[in-house]
Amino acid sequence: MFKIHKGIVLIAVVIVLSVFIYYRYAAKVFQASKNEEAVLMTESVPVGSKEVSAVATFDTPGDYAEHLRFIVTVDTQGVIESVKTVDAATNEIPEKKIEFNDGLLVVIKGKKLSELTAIDNVGKSSLTTAAFNSVIDQMKAQL
Amino acid sequence: MKDFTFKGLGTVWSIIVDGTSLRDETKAAIVQYVAWFEKHFSRFLPGSEVNMFRESPAGDFVVSKEFALLLATAGRLRTLTDGAYDPAVGTILETAGYGGKQGLKPLKKTVPTLPQWSLADTTLTIDGPIAFDLGGIGKGYCIDKVANILRRFGCDYYLVDGGGDMAVTTKADGSAWRVAIEYPGKPDTAASLAELSHQGLAVSDSFRRKWGKWHHLIDAQGKKPIEGIIGCAAVAPDTWAADRMTSGLFFAPVESYPALAKEFAASYLIFRSDGTASVSPDWGGEIFN
């Protein structure tokens, strides 16, 4: 009888210890992953497009936390217009995080040059245009 | 609005000056320099310095200071792109039928071994016959030189357009030049609008000089045309840096882009064949979605 009681106590101690360890360490891990969740913010931006930004916090190999703000501008259709990343504290582009941005793609549909106002010049790959111009008469002749 | 237009390096140049007028002696000096540059560094001219070693045996050769500077820069770009960019690719271009005298039809199907070269000061060491192609670094250099001539002749506010790449100061009132960037392969369509002041812009695409299965952009290591990226634009403190940046973007793996951006202090736009584009975080221009 006494022996069984001793066994129960042992089990109880193990359970208490497990719970203690869980809260002491595992809860910390969960808390850390909670920090990584983005805090969404919305700011008002003129003419139809909307700028949203979120701060992400994560640990670096250097053993300190980084706070980055991702800023995305979307138009009324929900298409991404621009993406940038800034340091959440200083609002400056952190140099070593540039590779983050490089993975981000946008779709550029383009705009007719004739729709742009007060343009001083057009930057282009000269040879494309030269090649295009060189065959334009031939193409016209085929119409 | 264009104050002066002329032909050089196989393309059309135009110059706009603000706050002053362009004098005839300035125009003459500019045309003379571009002609000199073409004569010395064009791959299409038999007497140019880049073609001087076409039949040379292995050995050391002293080159001009300007050619040494261009080759040293090309060597640096070769390092940055892990050998994918190499001016010695001129030899391969010729085999592919893109020589100065040949037509546009590829002549041979086999690709020769890439000649080896190195440079110490103004001494070029080669392992045998070699043809250089300074495409991707030469024009930007020449545009900056033209800008220098303008300043020397008292033009403080200008836009130098060398066939779509350009060097600018501000306008006389201090405002930036507004420059549209054409979408690669889509004439009359702008992908972005950049406001430039005291900067250089370079725009490059892989449609140009494309025929058969060859682009003009050939990966020296893989010895085949670059696929995937159809064009790119770069803005840097000067046109030479912007020009080298666009070449780097074509040839270097994506992981190297931050290092390239740092080397050339450049922001950039990359157009991919699937219709998407990558925009560097510091790209200042408006993007047209």
Side-chain angles (χ1 to χ4, degrees), chain B residues 7-22:
Chain B
K7 284 189 177 180
L9 293 183
T11 189
V12 177
W13 292 62
S14 60
I15 288 163
I16 308 171
V17 293
D18 199 20
T20 182
S21 59
L22 204 52

Side-chain angles (χ1 to χ4, degrees), chain B residues 196-210:
Chain B
L196 304 176
S197 55
H198 297 291
Q199 285 169 312
L201 164 73
V203 184
S204 186
D205 71 42
S206 59
F207 293 109
R208 59 182 186 175
R209 309 187 203 173
K210 187 182 176 183

